């Protein structure tokens, strides 16, 4: 049975509940993975989502920061979470669909402003987080799995608006891109978005600081959908909902979509 999945850093699920409801109404993904929910689980506005047909949720939350949630029209089984880098943050949760597909929803630390762990603790935390993800995938090879989320790294030259200008900017530095690749390789993850859209500039995030984000188009592809090789060929119809970034009081991220025939 085919299902469509979307991932979206919502930047406060309670503040932007109307935008989530609009996305569910207009795009209707079967599964929506949200990051940066900034809410304890019990305060996520489930009633409205359930009324829209999303009666299943697996989530981890904390007050004011981080938080990940998987909303679904389809039944979900909670598969737990991992506290990578021992940060005590709500940055990962996993759930399994009835067809046996496991979905991992990640919110990788942004890493602060300076790409140097000696002077920037947050950058060190980001690198440790990626290293522990890598080690986990080496130890327990994922199968029939999808990994989505705000991974806070734009790995390819055409995943950023200017490769050379961003080489020293956190999210596109060579050391981050190398760690990103090692993490991806450890789980043999296939980048579904780029499998479907192999060429050309592609972004999912535009800074709030840009007065005209759409015209300036200084974006980065920070949000990703990966799948294990046993199901990657079942994926298609990938796209980024760029127009959503232009909705009123938006998140600075746009949702990313893919469909799986499983």
């Amino acid at each position: 049975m085919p299902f469509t999945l979307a991932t979206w850093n919502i930047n406060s699920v309670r503040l932007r509940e109307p935008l989530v409801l609009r996305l569910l109404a207009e795009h209707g993904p079967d599964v929506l993975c949200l990051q940066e929910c900034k809410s304890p689980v019990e305060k996520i506005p489930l009633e409205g989502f359930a009324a829209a047909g999303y009666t299943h949720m697996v989530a981890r939350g904390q007050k004011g920061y981080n938080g990940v949630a998987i909303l679904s029209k389809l039944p979900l089984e909670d598969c737990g979470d991992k506290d990578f880098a021992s940060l005590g943050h709500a940055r990962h949760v996993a759930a399994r669909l009835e067809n046996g597909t496991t979905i991992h929803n990640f919110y990788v630390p942004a890493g602060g402003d300076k790409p140097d762990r000696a002077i920037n603790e947050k950058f060190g935390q980001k690198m440790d987080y990626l290293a522990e993800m890598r080690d986990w995938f080496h130890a327990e090879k994922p199968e029939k799995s999808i990994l989505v989320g705000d991974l806070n790294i734009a790995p390819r030259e055409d995943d950023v608006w200017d490769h050379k200008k961003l080489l020293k900017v956190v999210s596109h530095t060579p050391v981050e891109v190398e760690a990103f690749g090692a993490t991806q390789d450890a789980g043999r993850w296939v980048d579904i978005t780029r499998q479907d859209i192999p060429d050309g500039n592609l972004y999912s995030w535009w800074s709030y600081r840009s007065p005209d984000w759409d015209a300036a188009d200084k974006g980065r592809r920070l949000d990703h959908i990966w799948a294990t090789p046993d199901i990657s060929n079942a994926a298609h119809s990938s796209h980024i909902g760029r127009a959503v970034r232009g909705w009123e009081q938006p998140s600075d991220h746009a949702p990313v979509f893919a469909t799986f025939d499983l």
Side-chain angles (χ1 to χ4, degrees), residues 141-206:
K141 288 291 186 191
E143 296 179 349
K144 200 174 183 181
S145 297
I146 300 168
L147 185 157
V148 308
D150 178 2
L151 305 185
N152 263 313
I153 293 174
R156 293 175 26 153
E157 292 188 16
D158 51 2
D159 287 338
V160 295
W161 66 276
D162 191 314
H163 168 63
K164 289 184 178 179
K165 287 183 179 177
L166 270 70
L167 278 172
K168 295 182 179 180
V169 175
V170 173
S171 77
H172 192 61
T173 65
V175 66
E176 290 172 275
V177 171
E178 182 181 2
F180 184 92
T183 300
Q184 184 178 356
D185 290 347
R188 298 172 299 163
W189 295 104
V190 176
D191 181 344
I192 296 302
T193 309
R194 281 304 189 179
Q195 176 178 267
D196 279 353
I197 312 169
D199 301 309
N201 292 93
L202 204 58
Y203 314 137
S204 65
W205 174 89
W206 295 262

Side-chain angles (χ1 to χ4, degrees), residues 11-14 35-40 62-67:
N11 191 14
S12 179
V13 69
R14 286 187 282 171
Q35 303 87 38
E36 207 171 351
C37 294
K38 296 182 177 179
S39 173
Q62 62 189 97
K63 184 179 180 182
Y65 298 94
N66 307 312

Side-chain angles (χ1 to χ4, degrees), residues 114-125 127-128:
K114 300 289 184 182
D116 182 349
R117 66 186 307 149
I119 59 172
N120 176 13
E121 180 185 22
K122 289 183 177 179
F123 192 75
Q125 291 174 347
M127 298 303 293
D128 291 345

